Amino acid sequence: MADYILNAWYVAACSHEVGAEALFARRLLDRPVVLYRTEAGDPVALLDRCPHRFAYLSKGRRIGDQIECIYHGLRFGPDGACTRSPYQKTPPARAIVETFPVVERHRMLWIWMGDPALADPALIPDHSHMDNDAERPLVWHVKFDGNWQLGNDNLMELTHLFWLHTSTIGGWKEDAGQTPGEKYTARVENGKVLSRTLNTDVRRPSTFFNGVANGVPYDSWNDTEWVAPANMKFTMGAVPTGTGHIVETPYMVQSHCITPETATSSHYFSGFSRIFQLEGGPEVDERFVAFFKGIFDREDGPMMADIQEQMGDADLLDLDPVILPRDSGAILVRRVVAQRLAEETAQVTARVA
Ligand code: FES
Ligand SMILES: [Fe+2]
């Protein structure tokens, strides 16, 4: 089950997690990676393994833009080349650390762990709503004990809000099974999965201020754009009922990006920009982050751990699960992922043959 799409950009860290000084260690796609910034502030990503005796380089020392291994003192530059061996005039030619292309964008550090020749920054998914300071974009990191594809399943199917999240963001339907007027569509377009959930004539206050005055019935929608392997953007908007379905300004845009840690554990980078409660400064922001983190840690995270435990080493679809109508977006995602994995396997096979 340790299947990863390699030729893709993944979020390695939130920008704020990798400071000016420290060496930041994180396991990504089951490989140890050390991230840091040069003195100029540019992010660097290296395999976190000294080529001598395999010490973690992240436990070493920063010497300017270089890392000195804590075990026997080999020194490496941001390009992975050994710049100094205490034991020889010339460092051994084979003492090279693998490097990974890394790009800072949308308040996140994106890493490419496949063929570096294919690492085109234009392929980084668009989360540009995170660039607009006026909408106080926030991004944070949590983890869950489950395969990365469970993250896609969870986020591409939001009916669970009305069951799993009844005490927080989803408790407003008396009978969650009854969704009169709710329309859901999902389709594949240029390798992306696009879904729309439309609720008309909603008569309950929104969890957050959605741009419509309290007490006024409204139509709300959530457009989800999924980009392989596991990047999702939710665009959420509302208008008074009967005034048309799309406005230029959503009240909230969310980013959800999953990166495998191992076959059975994942990093989850989540964030959003908003048009409400913009005053109040960092305290309000921290409350929002704690609110969303709490929901995930108490509700989604344990659910994914349970599912992983039930699945063991198998793939979900191999276990022949029941498919419900609202699973269509998640199933389309699984199909595109399977296709991408098969393409990469075919390329490797062709190269070897
Ligand atoms: S393990 Fe790094 S120098 Fe020996
Ligand atoms: Fe959830």
Side-chain angles (χ1 to χ4, degrees):
M1 203 173 58
D3 284 338
Y4 309 124
I5 294 172
L6 292 177
N7 289 323
W9 291 102
Y10 287 94
V11 179
C14 307
S15 286
H16 63 79
E17 289 183 291
V18 181
E21 297 289 328
L23 299 168
F24 183 85
R26 181 159 277 166
R27 193 162 196 89
L28 306 167
L29 282 64
D30 230 348
R31 304 189 76 195
V33 174
V34 54
L35 294 150
Y36 68 101
R37 292 180 186 278
T38 64
E39 288 176 339
D42 298 325
V44 177
L46 299 175
L47 187 68
D48 192 6
R49 194 176 79 175
C50 178
H52 176 224
R53 287 279 186 269
F54 300 169
Y56 285 108
L57 290 173
S58 56
K59 294 186 179 174
R61 297 184 190 91
R62 278 286 302 264
I63 312 281
D65 284 350
Q66 304 178 46
I67 300 179
E68 187 175 85
C69 181
I70 193 80
Y71 204 6
H72 313 96
L74 288 183
R75 231 182 248 181
F76 301 93
D79 62 355
C82 184
T83 55
R84 178 174 180 269
S85 163
Y87 317 100
Q88 299 136 296
K89 276 203 181 117
T90 316
R94 289 198 315 113
I96 296 171
V97 181
E98 186 175 346
T99 62
F100 305 105
V102 61
V103 173
E104 186 156 29
R105 193 173 285 179
H106 311 322
R107 292 169 202 263
M108 294 174 269
L109 298 177
W110 298 82
I111 193 167
W112 183 281
M113 298 181 73
D115 180 354
L118 303 175
D120 178 1
L123 298 174
I124 293 175
D126 175 27
H127 290 273
S128 49
H129 61 281
M130 298 297 289
D131 301 335
N132 184 356
D133 287 343
E135 296 190 349
R136 298 196 69 81
L138 301 167
V139 61
W140 60 92
H141 165 260
V142 289
K143 280 173 60 172
F144 61 89
D145 290 325
N147 179 260
W148 62 279
Q149 291 207 61
L150 296 183
N152 276 337
D153 294 339
N154 185 55
L155 289 155
M156 289 304 293
E157 175 286 299
L158 296 177
T159 51
H160 81 266
L161 256 63
F162 308 113
W163 301 97
L164 187 63
H165 299 307
T166 46
S167 63
T168 49
I169 45 174
W172 56 274
K173 280 190 179 164
E174 279 171 25
D175 180 353
Q178 294 293 313
T179 54
E182 184 175 276
K183 292 197 183 90
Y184 177 79
T185 55
R187 65 183 199 279
V188 181
E189 204 174 288
N190 299 325
K192 297 179 182 178
V193 175
L194 307 174
S195 75
R196 169 167 290 177
T197 310
L198 197 58
N199 270 295
T200 49
D201 200 15
V202 180
R203 290 162 187 267
R204 50 99 204 172
S206 172
T207 309
F208 305 106
F209 176 65
N210 63 8
V212 180
N214 262 346
V216 177
Y218 58 90
D219 299 344
S220 75
W221 69 92
N222 178 3
D223 286 347
T224 298
E225 178 182 301
W226 173 90
V227 177
N231 303 287
M232 284 145 281
K233 185 165 64 179
F234 296 175
T235 304
M236 299 148 101
V239 288
T241 293
T243 51
H245 285 317
I246 299 295
V247 289
E248 297 275 317
T249 318
Y251 66 89
M252 190 182 229
V253 183
Q254 299 184 353
S255 295
H256 302 277
C257 302
I258 316 270
T259 305
E261 180 186 50
T262 67
T264 56
S265 63
S266 304
H267 301 284
Y268 175 22
F269 302 92
S270 190
F272 70 96
S273 57
R274 67 188 196 264
I275 62 162
F276 52 90
Q277 289 186 45
L278 296 170
E279 287 84 38
E283 265 176 42
V284 174
D285 295 345
E286 279 162 27
R287 268 210 305 275
F288 273 123
V289 173
F291 174 72
F292 281 110
K293 264 188 176 175
I295 292 172
F296 188 81
D297 285 340
R298 283 191 304 274
E299 297 172 353
D300 298 277
M303 176 57 70
M304 275 179 280
D306 284 354
I307 295 169
Q308 187 63 55
E309 191 176 287
Q310 303 266 25
M311 286 172 25
D313 288 337
D315 180 82
L316 180 80
L317 294 186
D318 291 343
L319 297 172
D320 199 19
V322 168
I323 309 285
L324 296 174
R326 281 290 298 269
D327 291 331
S328 56
I331 294 294
L332 288 176
V333 162
R334 281 203 173 252
R335 273 195 208 141
V336 177
V337 166
Q339 207 178 331
R340 286 282 301 266
L341 287 168
E343 280 165 14
E344 286 199 358
T345 308
Q347 282 160 8
V348 172
T349 314
R351 240 178 281 139
V352 173

